[in-house]
Amino acid sequence: MLTDTLNACIIDMKIVKELETVSADTKKQANANYAFKQIVQELQETTATLKNAVEISGFRPSVAVFNDLKAYLSACDKVVGEGAANSSTNDFIRTESRKVTESIARDWSVYYQKITANIISLLETVKGIIPDANKATYAINKIKKAANWNAASDSYTSMKQGLDDADLILKSLDLAEDSEVLEFLKLVGEGSATVQNLTAEILAWLKNEGIEDKLTISFSA
């Protein structure tokens, strides 16, 4: 009788152990699936931000970015096809996600410098010329909001607004795009203007605007 009771208890314990294992596996699977869901949401946010930046700023990602995105999507599709995620595949997909973000960030940094560097230096230069220097400061701050790639879609809208504001500020100077004065101001912004760049047209413009005393000269090392 005692042996039967002990055997029954052993069987019950085995059943409890099996149920605990199943419960733990179920919880582990649920956690993996939730983590994968988060990864997919991050992918959606990344593609939405990329699309927004392209439409607003004219940014064109490189082939490397698209290749990394394809690898990212392929890894996600594989999980969907299998019907379940696991920690190993999630870690791999996160690695692919970082590759995408890094590729986009590299491309964006190059593009941002290309379209903003000269404008920002020019705005810094004209601060001392235009009636309201704050306008130039506000425009610069808007542009710089998108200096680094990030998920905040309003950063790219802000940059576009800053560039539009900069365009209006420069137009207010009433200078032709190919004028010697504008080219001179660009050189000043770059810190590479010299006395040799001071043509008769530029000197006349400085005098006409009453800003001769705002232009200083120094010797380079």
Side-chain angles (χ1 to χ4, degrees):
M1 189 71 176
L2 180 59
T3 303
D4 291 340
T5 301
L6 288 172
N7 287 335
C9 286
I10 291 171
I11 291 171
D12 287 343
M13 289 175 67
K14 285 183 177 179
I15 292 173
V16 169
K17 184 64 176 177
E18 288 173 356
L19 289 173
E20 287 177 346
T21 301
V22 170
S23 177
D25 287 345
T26 300
K27 185 177 181 180
K28 185 178 180 180
Q29 185 61 62
N31 288 338
N33 288 343
Y34 178 77
F36 178 69
K37 180 182 177 182
Q38 297 296 107
I39 290 171
V40 171
Q41 288 178 343
E42 289 173 7
L43 173 59
Q44 291 174 332
E45 291 173 0
T46 297
T47 53
T49 301
L50 183 58
K51 180 175 181 291
N52 191 51
V54 167
E55 292 177 348
I56 291 174
S57 71
F59 173 53
R60 292 294 179 269
S62 66
V63 173
V65 169
F66 286 108
N67 287 340
D68 287 339
L69 268 173
K70 286 178 182 177
Y72 188 2
L73 288 167
S74 177
C76 290
D77 284 341
K78 186 177 180 181
V79 173
V80 173
E82 292 174 351
N86 60 61
S87 59
S88 179
T89 55
N90 283 347
D91 288 343
F92 174 74
I93 294 172
R94 286 192 185 95
T95 299
E96 295 301 310
S97 173
R98 284 193 292 271
K99 287 181 182 178
V100 170
T101 301
E102 290 168 1
S103 290
I104 296 174
R106 282 194 298 271
D107 280 9
W108 176 258
S109 179
V110 173
Y111 178 74
Y112 175 84
Q113 288 297 320
K114 180 180 178 181
I115 66 170
T116 66
N118 289 339
I119 292 295
I120 290 176
S121 64
L122 193 52
L123 287 173
E124 292 285 2
T125 300
V126 302
K127 274 184 183 180
I129 298 174
I130 60 177
D132 187 356
N134 287 330
K135 287 186 177 180
T137 300
Y138 295 149
I140 291 170
N141 290 339
K142 287 179 183 178
I143 294 171
K144 286 185 174 180
K145 194 173 180 181
N148 298 308
W149 178 259
N150 60 76
S153 59
D154 66 327
S155 296
Y156 311 103
T157 301
S158 175
M159 185 190 77
K160 178 65 167 57
Q161 291 173 344
L163 290 172
D164 288 343
D165 290 346
D167 188 50
L168 291 175
I169 291 170
L170 296 178
K171 283 182 178 178
S172 71
L173 297 176
D174 197 25
L175 297 171
E177 290 187 12
D178 59 348
S179 73
E180 290 183 2
V181 174
L182 190 56
E183 288 302 313
F184 176 72
L185 291 176
K186 289 178 181 178
L187 291 175
V188 172
E190 295 167 3
S192 58
T194 68
V195 174
Q196 292 178 322
N197 300 122
L198 287 170
T199 64
E201 180 182 337
I202 294 168
L203 290 170
W205 180 79
L206 291 170
K207 184 176 182 179
N208 185 58
E209 296 293 321
I211 55 175
E212 307 108 300
D213 60 334
K214 293 185 178 182
L215 180 66
T216 60
I217 298 175
S218 63
F219 290 98
S220 60

